[in-house]
Amino acid sequence: MKIPQLLKTIEKNRDICDILMEYFDLEIITPNLDVKKFHFETSVETMIIAEDGSGGIFALLHNEGLEDLPVYYINSEGQAGKVGENFEQFLSMIITIPYWLDLLKFSGNGQLSEMKKAQPFLLEERLEDFPKIQRVKDKITCELSINESSYPVENLHRSLVTNSQTPIYSLDGEKMESLFQSYKPSDNPLWKDRIV
C-alpha cells in the first residue's frame, strides 16, 4: 500500500509530530499492517498510521480504483467510521475542528444540524484550553502547504454517512457501530440556555 507523501513529510518532521500530538491528539506512528494487533479486522488491506490518547487508531484503507486512500477511525469502544476521503482532507479537518470527536458525541445520532449547534461551544472550550491554537494551526498549514477546511463539519458528516463505508469488525466478528452518538447540545446543562 502506498503511503501518502504528506504523511511521509510529517513523519520526518519531529516538531510537527509533537504539535499534532499536543494540540490535536494525533500521534503519528510507524505504519503497521497488522490490524489484529489493534483488535479489529477488515476485508481490505489496511495500514495503521496514528493513534490518539484514548486508545483509538487511525488507518488508511485500500480502496479499489481510488488513488486516494480514505482514513478511518476505530475507537476502543467498538465504534468505527470513515473520517476523511483522503489523508490531506482528514488532516485539514482535525486541524480546523480539533474537537471533532465531541461533535460526533453531540450529533443526535448523526444530525448535521446538531453538530453545527455544538460547534461554537466546543470552539469556545478549545480556545480556553489552548489560547494559542490559531498560531499553531497557521504554523502547521504553512509548513505542510495545506489549507484549513472551509466546511469541516459538513465534510466530516459526509464522510461518515457516505455509502462507500468499508465495514470494520471486532475480532469476534461483530460489525463495529457508528461513531455518531445520541447526545444533543441541549443535553449539556452549560449550553442548553445559550442555544439559538
Side-chain angles (χ1 to χ4, degrees):
M1 183 183 293
K2 187 178 177 184
I3 299 174
Q5 185 57 50
L6 181 58
L7 179 56
K8 290 180 185 176
T9 302
I10 292 169
E11 284 179 310
K12 293 175 188 170
N13 189 324
R14 190 71 251 161
D15 286 345
I16 293 292
C17 287
D18 290 345
I19 287 171
L20 288 173
M21 191 164 53
E22 181 179 352
Y23 288 88
F24 305 99
D25 196 18
L26 182 72
E27 181 179 3
I28 302 295
I29 64 171
T30 302
N32 191 321
L33 296 172
D34 183 9
V35 296
K36 289 188 178 182
K37 175 182 172 186
F38 294 88
H39 309 291
F40 73 95
E41 296 179 304
T42 67
S43 60
V44 298
E45 187 179 10
T46 302
M47 180 186 295
I48 315 303
I49 57 167
E51 298 174 318
D52 69 13
S54 66
I57 62 103
F58 299 90
L60 298 172
L61 269 65
H62 180 71
N63 201 330
E64 198 68 46
L66 288 183
E67 191 173 310
D68 289 331
L69 300 174
V71 179
Y72 280 68
Y73 177 71
I74 301 98
N75 71 18
S76 56
E77 307 297 316
Q79 298 169 302
K82 182 168 60 170
V83 293
E85 299 300 327
N86 56 57
F87 183 71
E88 185 170 346
Q89 185 196 69
F90 158 73
L91 191 62
S92 176
M93 182 272 294
I94 66 160
I95 289 170
T96 309
I97 50 171
Y99 42 82
W100 64 277
L101 275 172
D102 290 319
L103 284 173
L104 300 180
K105 177 181 178 179
F106 289 102
S107 68
N109 288 318
Q111 297 177 58
L112 178 60
S113 59
E114 296 298 328
M115 293 169 70
K116 289 174 125 181
K117 285 179 195 171
Q119 185 179 14
F121 300 113
L122 293 168
L123 173 60
E124 185 179 280
E125 290 176 1
R126 180 56 58 131
L127 289 170
E128 284 175 12
D129 292 339
F130 299 97
K132 298 177 183 176
I133 197 163
Q134 189 56 52
R135 276 188 285 183
V136 170
K137 288 179 181 182
D138 293 344
K139 175 182 171 63
I140 290 180
T141 54
C142 179
E143 284 197 35
L144 297 177
S145 299
I146 59 173
N147 297 314
E148 284 190 51
S149 175
S150 300
Y151 302 99
V153 181
E154 291 85 349
N155 289 342
L156 174 61
H157 184 267
R158 189 180 312 109
S159 288
L160 284 162
V161 298
T162 182
N163 288 331
S164 63
Q165 298 282 325
T166 298
I168 310 284
Y169 298 93
S170 65
L171 292 182
D172 61 8
E174 291 289 318
K175 184 179 176 183
M176 291 197 172
E177 297 176 5
S178 168
L179 290 169
F180 290 124
Q181 293 185 32
S182 60
Y183 297 105
K184 295 182 176 182
S186 56
D187 295 328
N188 186 319
L190 299 175
W191 301 348
K192 65 180 181 180
D193 295 332
R194 298 170 56 202
I195 295 171
V196 215

